Amino acid sequence: MHFTFRQLQIFESVARHLNFSRASEELHLTQPAVSMQIKQLEDLAGLPLFEHMGKRIFLTHAGKELFEHTRIIAKQMKEAREALESLREGVSGRLDIAIISTAKYFAPNLLARFCEQYPAVQLKLSVNNRAGIVEQLMENDVDFAIMGQPPEGMDLIHQPFARNAHLIVAPPHHPLTEAKRLTLERVAAEPFLLREKGSGTRELFERYLSQHGLVVKPRMEMSSNETIKQAAIAGMGIAFLSEHTITLELETHRLVTLPVPGFPIVRDWHLVHHKDKRHSPVARAFKQFLLEVAPVMLSPPTQANKDDITT
């Protein structure tokens, strides 16, 4: 089978859009030209790649198999173009970064500093929870991810670059702020405002409690740190949050830290990528920048020993 790169490029576009018209617009070709190339590709493969149902098209089993390979080819060609552009013009090109939602409180400052140093770089930033970022990494949709707790047993490489302290906080008028001595058991019995299942912050907290034989029942589950902070300030419960998300609230005394034994829990922020990822010059420049600059920029005011469970 002698496929041409152009045929595979056209197939990848049609398979991604599942629409011949959109593919023809993207490739600046006429629709008959796209249809002809797909027909030739199917003849070479000896198998149908698409099936038509009314006005919609779907990938056949053979089409799905070929699509997985063409996605990899398209990604590698993009990386090759960016590498050549960087060699010709210096550090430039596109960088795709995914960050855990908690990291949005500091990532823009880091990226702004990076762009000052490398103004020709184009950034794409996506914010997701832990489960969503793992999927992006495994699908090779991003160059890097910034997250607090990389998954184990997967084809991922992670490198720590800064510390991340987690605190239990409450509004200043909460009864626990008057307690002379707090225990973890007493605090765990309180109504908690927690992140949604799949959040790294929640997994960290529940794992810590589990090691002490405790389970917390959330009063509310929310997918936004901002919503959790506002709910805590309103007196709806107490919360377990990264210090990076509550710096302003602590400074203005809208929230206070509860002196719970064993807290803060400190873990690392990690830069994560797929083990088979081929990094462009701009990606390598970003990694070096992050490892050098982030520890200084993100040095937290809280000094705490790193808990064993956070490794």
Side-chain angles (χ1 to χ4, degrees):
M1 286 183 257
H2 299 287
F3 301 148
T4 68
F5 176 73
R6 187 59 168 166
Q7 286 173 331
L8 295 177
Q9 184 183 40
I10 291 171
F11 168 79
E12 189 276 336
S13 182
V14 176
R16 178 162 33 86
H17 292 292
L18 291 178
N19 188 292
F20 280 81
S21 296
R22 291 180 186 172
S24 63
E25 292 173 3
E26 179 179 81
L27 299 167
H28 304 291
L29 295 172
T30 65
Q31 188 168 332
V34 171
S35 298
M36 180 182 68
Q37 290 293 331
I38 295 299
K39 178 64 168 59
Q40 291 177 357
L41 190 61
E42 289 181 322
D43 290 342
L44 287 169
L47 292 165
L49 302 174
F50 296 96
E51 54 185 348
H52 297 259
M53 294 184 181
K55 295 183 178 181
R56 301 181 63 187
I57 63 170
F58 300 87
L59 286 167
T60 63
H61 180 72
K64 292 178 181 177
E65 185 69 25
L66 183 59
F67 183 44
E68 290 301 313
H69 292 283
T70 56
R71 286 181 63 192
I72 296 172
I73 293 171
K75 189 75 172 178
Q76 290 177 337
M77 289 301 297
K78 174 178 173 290
E79 292 171 355
R81 286 194 300 270
E82 291 175 350
L84 292 175
E85 289 173 0
S86 295
L87 289 173
R88 185 177 64 249
E89 302 174 3
V91 176
S92 63
R94 176 168 165 159
L95 189 64
D96 291 343
I97 301 175
I99 62 172
I100 206 79
S101 55
T102 304
K104 68 183 180 182
Y105 293 92
F106 66 82
N109 287 333
L110 283 172
L111 296 177
R113 182 79 65 87
F114 178 72
C115 288
E116 287 178 6
Q117 189 169 338
Y118 301 103
V121 172
Q122 293 180 323
L123 288 175
K124 179 183 177 183
L125 181 67
S126 59
V127 182
N128 213 330
N129 67 11
R130 183 173 183 271
I133 285 183
V134 170
E135 182 178 355
Q136 287 178 289
L137 287 165
M138 298 309 296
E139 291 295 322
N140 197 30
D141 289 335
V142 293
D143 296 300
F144 293 111
I146 292 176
M147 58 195 309
Q149 183 184 342
E152 301 295 334
M154 304 183 76
D155 293 332
L156 299 174
I157 294 174
H158 52 88
Q159 189 163 358
F161 64 85
R163 307 300 288 274
N164 182 17
H166 286 72
L167 313 165
I168 296 180
V169 294
H173 54 77
H174 195 282
L176 288 184
T177 62
E178 303 295 330
K180 294 182 179 180
R181 181 176 179 273
L182 285 177
T183 64
L184 184 60
E185 291 77 9
R186 173 71 179 87
V187 173
E190 287 290 314
F192 262 87
L193 309 168
L194 293 180
R195 286 290 305 273
E196 79 286 2
K197 290 186 180 296
S199 160
T201 301
R202 177 164 178 169
E203 289 186 6
L204 174 65
F205 187 46
E206 290 183 335
R207 190 167 74 252
Y208 183 82
L209 292 178
S210 177
Q211 290 185 353
H212 291 79
L214 299 171
V215 176
V216 66
K217 293 184 178 180
R219 168 170 281 179
M220 291 182 66
E221 296 181 358
M222 288 161 273
S223 60
S224 164
N225 289 317
E226 286 298 321
T227 307
I228 290 177
K229 289 192 296 184
Q230 294 305 318
I233 291 170
M236 296 183 67
I238 61 178
F240 175 76
L241 293 168
S242 166
E243 188 174 25
H244 289 294
T245 71
I246 52 176
T247 302
L248 180 61
E249 287 75 16
L250 293 177
E251 290 176 352
T252 57
H253 304 290
R254 301 180 71 194
L255 290 173
V256 297
T257 303
L258 294 180
V260 184
F263 288 77
I265 295 175
V266 181
R267 62 176 177 178
D268 290 320
W269 285 112
H270 289 85
L271 186 67
V272 189
H273 63 85
H274 195 279
K275 72 177 183 63
D276 296 326
K277 186 71 177 177
R278 296 178 61 187
H279 285 141
S280 65
V282 64
R284 292 195 294 270
F286 177 75
K287 182 176 182 179
Q288 181 178 354
F289 166 86
L290 191 71
L291 296 178
E292 292 177 354
V293 175
V296 178
M297 289 187 64
L298 301 183
S299 179
T302 296
Q303 299 297 320
N305 294 323
K306 186 176 180 182
D307 194 285
D308 290 340
I309 71 160
T310 64
T311 59

